[in-house]
Short mmCIF file of all heavy atoms in Angstrom, two decimals:
data_model
loop_
_atom_site.label_atom_id
_atom_site.label_comp_id
_atom_site.label_asym_id
_atom_site.label_seq_id
_atom_site.Cartn_x
_atom_site.Cartn_y
_atom_site.Cartn_z
N LEU A 754 97.89 124.30 119.36
CA LEU A 754 99.18 123.61 119.27
C LEU A 754 100.20 124.46 118.53
O LEU A 754 101.37 124.52 118.92
CB LEU A 754 99.00 122.26 118.56
CG LEU A 754 98.20 121.20 119.32
CD1 LEU A 754 97.93 120.01 118.40
CD2 LEU A 754 98.95 120.75 120.56
N ASP A 755 99.76 125.13 117.48
CA ASP A 755 100.68 125.94 116.69
C ASP A 755 101.17 127.15 117.47
O ASP A 755 102.32 127.57 117.34
CB ASP A 755 100.00 126.38 115.40
CG ASP A 755 100.98 126.77 114.32
OD1 ASP A 755 101.97 126.03 114.11
OD2 ASP A 755 100.78 127.81 113.67
N GLU A 756 100.30 127.71 118.32
CA GLU A 756 100.67 128.89 119.08
C GLU A 756 101.50 128.56 120.31
O GLU A 756 102.36 129.35 120.73
CB GLU A 756 99.41 129.65 119.50
CG GLU A 756 98.67 130.29 118.33
CD GLU A 756 97.34 130.90 118.73
OE1 GLU A 756 97.06 130.97 119.96
OE2 GLU A 756 96.58 131.31 117.84
N THR A 757 101.27 127.40 120.90
CA THR A 757 101.97 127.05 122.15
C THR A 757 103.23 126.22 121.90
O THR A 757 104.10 126.19 122.77
CB THR A 757 101.05 126.28 123.10
OG1 THR A 757 100.57 125.08 122.46
CG2 THR A 757 99.85 127.14 123.50
N ARG A 758 103.33 125.58 120.78
CA ARG A 758 104.55 124.85 120.40
C ARG A 758 105.20 125.68 119.29
O ARG A 758 105.07 125.39 118.10
CB ARG A 758 104.24 123.44 119.92
CG ARG A 758 104.11 122.42 121.05
CD ARG A 758 102.94 122.70 121.98
NE ARG A 758 102.93 121.81 123.14
CZ ARG A 758 102.14 122.00 124.19
NH1 ARG A 758 101.29 123.01 124.23
NH2 ARG A 758 102.20 121.17 125.21
N ASP A 759 105.87 126.74 119.72
CA ASP A 759 106.29 127.81 118.81
C ASP A 759 107.60 127.47 118.11
O ASP A 759 108.64 128.10 118.33
CB ASP A 759 106.41 129.12 119.58
CG ASP A 759 106.52 130.32 118.66
OD1 ASP A 759 106.07 130.20 117.50
OD2 ASP A 759 107.05 131.35 119.09
N ALA A 760 107.55 126.44 117.30
CA ALA A 760 108.70 126.03 116.50
C ALA A 760 108.18 125.42 115.21
O ALA A 760 107.05 124.93 115.17
CB ALA A 760 109.56 125.02 117.26
N PRO A 761 108.98 125.47 114.15
CA PRO A 761 108.54 124.89 112.87
C PRO A 761 108.21 123.42 113.02
O PRO A 761 108.78 122.74 113.86
CB PRO A 761 109.74 125.11 111.96
CG PRO A 761 110.53 126.21 112.61
CD PRO A 761 110.32 126.04 114.08
N PRO A 762 107.28 122.92 112.18
CA PRO A 762 106.58 123.66 111.13
C PRO A 762 105.46 124.52 111.71
O PRO A 762 104.78 124.13 112.66
CB PRO A 762 106.01 122.55 110.25
CG PRO A 762 105.78 121.41 111.21
CD PRO A 762 106.92 121.48 112.19
N PHE A 763 105.26 125.70 111.12
CA PHE A 763 104.19 126.58 111.54
C PHE A 763 102.97 126.30 110.67
O PHE A 763 103.00 126.49 109.46
CB PHE A 763 104.62 128.04 111.41
CG PHE A 763 105.76 128.40 112.32
CD1 PHE A 763 106.96 128.86 111.82
CD2 PHE A 763 105.61 128.26 113.70
CE1 PHE A 763 108.01 129.19 112.67
CE2 PHE A 763 106.65 128.58 114.56
CZ PHE A 763 107.85 129.05 114.04
N LEU A 764 101.92 125.85 111.29
CA LEU A 764 100.72 125.44 110.56
C LEU A 764 99.88 126.62 110.12
O LEU A 764 99.03 126.49 109.25
CB LEU A 764 99.92 124.45 111.40
CG LEU A 764 100.73 123.21 111.84
CD1 LEU A 764 99.90 122.32 112.74
CD2 LEU A 764 101.24 122.45 110.63
N LEU A 765 100.12 127.76 110.75
CA LEU A 765 99.57 129.04 110.30
C LEU A 765 100.76 129.97 110.10
O LEU A 765 101.53 130.21 111.02
CB LEU A 765 98.61 129.61 111.34
CG LEU A 765 97.26 128.89 111.35
CD1 LEU A 765 96.70 128.79 112.74
CD2 LEU A 765 96.28 129.60 110.43
N PRO A 766 100.96 130.45 108.88
CA PRO A 766 102.18 131.21 108.56
C PRO A 766 102.38 132.41 109.49
O PRO A 766 101.43 133.14 109.80
CB PRO A 766 101.95 131.66 107.12
CG PRO A 766 100.97 130.68 106.57
CD PRO A 766 100.09 130.31 107.72
N ARG A 767 103.60 132.61 109.93
CA ARG A 767 103.93 133.75 110.78
C ARG A 767 104.15 135.00 109.94
O ARG A 767 104.60 134.94 108.80
CB ARG A 767 105.20 133.46 111.59
CG ARG A 767 105.11 132.27 112.55
CD ARG A 767 103.99 132.44 113.57
NE ARG A 767 104.10 131.53 114.70
CZ ARG A 767 103.42 130.41 114.85
NH1 ARG A 767 102.58 130.03 113.91
NH2 ARG A 767 103.55 129.67 115.94
N ASN A 768 103.81 136.15 110.52
CA ASN A 768 104.13 137.46 109.94
C ASN A 768 103.57 137.68 108.53
O ASN A 768 104.15 138.41 107.72
CB ASN A 768 105.66 137.66 109.91
CG ASN A 768 106.27 137.52 111.29
OD1 ASN A 768 105.73 138.04 112.27
ND2 ASN A 768 107.38 136.80 111.39
N ASN A 769 102.46 137.02 108.24
CA ASN A 769 101.83 137.21 106.93
C ASN A 769 100.32 137.03 107.09
O ASN A 769 99.78 135.95 106.84
CB ASN A 769 102.40 136.21 105.91
CG ASN A 769 101.99 136.54 104.49
OD1 ASN A 769 100.90 137.07 104.25
ND2 ASN A 769 102.84 136.22 103.53
N PRO A 770 99.62 138.08 107.50
CA PRO A 770 98.18 137.97 107.76
C PRO A 770 97.37 137.48 106.57
O PRO A 770 96.41 136.72 106.73
CB PRO A 770 97.78 139.40 108.16
CG PRO A 770 99.04 140.01 108.67
CD PRO A 770 100.14 139.42 107.85
#
Side-chain angles (χ1 to χ4, degrees):
L754 292 171
D755 201 45
E756 292 173 8
T757 58
R758 275 65 186 169
D759 193 24
F763 296 120
L764 304 177
L765 285 144
R767 298 302 196 259
N768 304 316
N769 191 329

